[in-house]
Amino acid sequence: MPLMKRGEQDAPDFSVILATRDRAESLRETLEALMRQETGGVFTHEVLVVDNASTDATRGVVEACQATFPVPLRYLYEARPGKPWALNTGLREAQGQLLAFIDDDVLPTPTWLTALWRCFHKEQADGVAGRSLPRWLAPRPAWLTDPI
């Protein structure tokens, strides 16, 4: 039986919150990856993009994706610069019982949300974090060492 937020009949199980500022191109790639989430119909989700006072094409990127996005994709605007402000806006507007946070430069695998779902429902986790591998948009800094 799907989880519901108190008082919500059709609330999604997950709210994916993505805060962004002036990264329209990488945001587009992240949204395209989020379109390919494989849920197997086991749970529902929504995606909230919180525009943190962007001056680029962020709003247009989200609006262009909304027509073909397979789940509800909501655009929110937060005028106060700073990721905490943006995340709090997303938290306030989220309808899902479970929250998943993602950055605007991350390319999640198609099974990202399903893996989170399993952790919460099969493993009874209270919180989940995972490994993030860099996707270099510029040359890797020379001072950065390999993990041990």
Side-chain angles (χ1 to χ4, degrees):
M1 172 186 238
L3 300 172
M4 288 183 263
K5 189 173 179 182
R6 191 176 350 174
E8 300 282 335
Q9 288 297 326
D10 295 322
D13 299 311
F14 268 108
S15 289
V16 176
I17 300 173
L18 191 164
T20 187
R21 180 180 170 111
D22 291 333
R23 307 221 21 210
E25 285 310 309
S26 63
L27 172 64
R28 180 185 325 274
E29 293 177 19
T30 300
L31 289 174
E32 288 170 358
L34 286 171
M35 290 173 115
R36 296 186 293 274
Q37 288 301 295
E38 299 168 359
T39 66
V42 175
F43 59 88
T44 60
H45 66 288
E46 66 176 349
V47 176
L48 287 73
V49 176
V50 185
D51 180 348
N52 192 209
S54 293
T55 58
D56 65 0
T58 294
R59 183 180 189 129
V61 165
V62 176
E63 289 174 347
C65 289
Q66 283 175 322
T68 58
F69 216 77
V71 299
L73 172 62
R74 295 195 285 148
Y75 172 86
L76 306 169
Y77 186 80
E78 174 52 62
R80 295 169 289 189
K83 191 169 184 178
W85 293 111
L87 291 176
N88 282 328
T89 296
L91 287 169
R92 197 170 31 256
E93 295 294 323
Q95 295 177 0
Q97 185 170 13
L98 298 171
L99 305 171
F101 298 92
I102 191 166
D103 287 332
D104 57 12
D105 60 350
V106 172
L107 296 178
T109 64
T111 58
W112 173 63
L113 276 177
T114 299
L116 291 177
W117 179 261
R118 282 191 202 117
C119 289
F120 285 113
H121 289 279
K122 291 189 178 181
E123 304 299 326
Q124 306 273 314
D126 292 325
V128 179
R131 183 176 181 197
S132 294
L133 301 174
R135 180 173 57 110
W136 299 104
L137 302 176
R140 178 182 168 154
W143 53 263
L144 187 62
T145 59
D146 288 327
I148 296 174

